[in-house]
Amino acid sequence: MQPTKPKKPNKPTHSTSADTTKAVDSFMADLEHPFKNEVSAIRNAILGVDPSVEEGIKWNAPSFRTTEYFATTNLRVKTGVGLVLHLGAKTRELPADGVVIDDPENLLKWVGKDRALVEFRTAEEVKSKLPALQAVLRQWLKYL
């Protein structure tokens, strides 16, 4: 009989120092961006979607997760600020028509069955569309 290999200890998911609110606070303190206030408003809106939503720094930007990361702030859009919505790194079984979201404000620009972009071009647009963004995200979380 062959000896069994010792099991590796389970590393908690999202347990690095970058996976913390402290990391996002530090990032935001150092952020130089013309839409910094709007990035902060989007951050607060996402965290307010559900008590299970946490934050961290992924891809050098504030990102949001429950069990997996699902949204990453896009600070590189040419005008304003954006958000990339995804379903994390793991492959997921999806319905044949992909992720289906009720989006009456047409916030989502679909770039795949499980990936969409949201772009806000002005500070006023961020402020006026945050409730619609939260409604979209509540639906998005059901796919995680």
Side-chain angles (χ1 to χ4, degrees):
M1 193 162 153
Q2 292 188 7
T4 59
K5 291 183 180 179
K7 289 185 178 180
K8 292 181 181 177
N10 288 337
K11 182 180 175 186
T13 304
H14 311 301
S15 61
T16 71
S17 61
D19 292 312
T20 63
T21 294
K22 182 177 178 181
V24 179
D25 288 343
S26 177
F27 181 93
M28 291 299 296
D30 294 339
L31 180 64
E32 292 182 20
H33 191 281
F35 279 72
K36 182 175 182 173
N37 290 337
E38 290 71 28
V39 171
S40 183
I42 291 167
R43 174 188 182 196
N44 291 330
I46 295 171
L47 291 171
V49 164
D50 189 273
S52 66
V53 176
E54 297 183 58
E55 62 187 338
I57 299 296
K58 286 282 190 194
W59 305 286
N60 200 31
S63 298
F64 305 89
R65 68 180 186 281
T66 56
T67 56
E68 292 291 329
Y69 279 94
F70 66 87
T72 301
T73 310
N74 183 354
L75 302 173
R76 296 184 190 120
V77 295
K78 293 183 181 183
T79 305
V81 64
L83 195 63
V84 180
L85 301 181
H86 49 85
L87 296 177
K90 295 179 183 175
T91 303
R92 298 187 185 280
E93 195 70 32
L94 293 173
D97 51 352
V99 175
V100 178
I101 302 289
D102 181 34
D103 180 22
E105 294 280 337
N106 295 312
L107 294 178
L108 300 175
K109 177 182 175 187
W110 291 95
V111 293
K113 279 185 165 186
D114 63 351
R115 186 173 298 266
L117 305 175
V118 178
E119 291 185 4
F120 300 103
R121 300 192 187 288
T122 66
E124 295 76 26
E125 190 176 19
V126 171
K127 185 177 180 181
S128 69
K129 294 193 175 179
L130 282 181
L133 175 64
Q134 287 181 308
V136 163
L137 291 173
R138 283 186 191 94
Q139 296 171 74
W140 196 272
L141 291 179
K142 294 176 184 174
Y143 288 93
L144 294 177

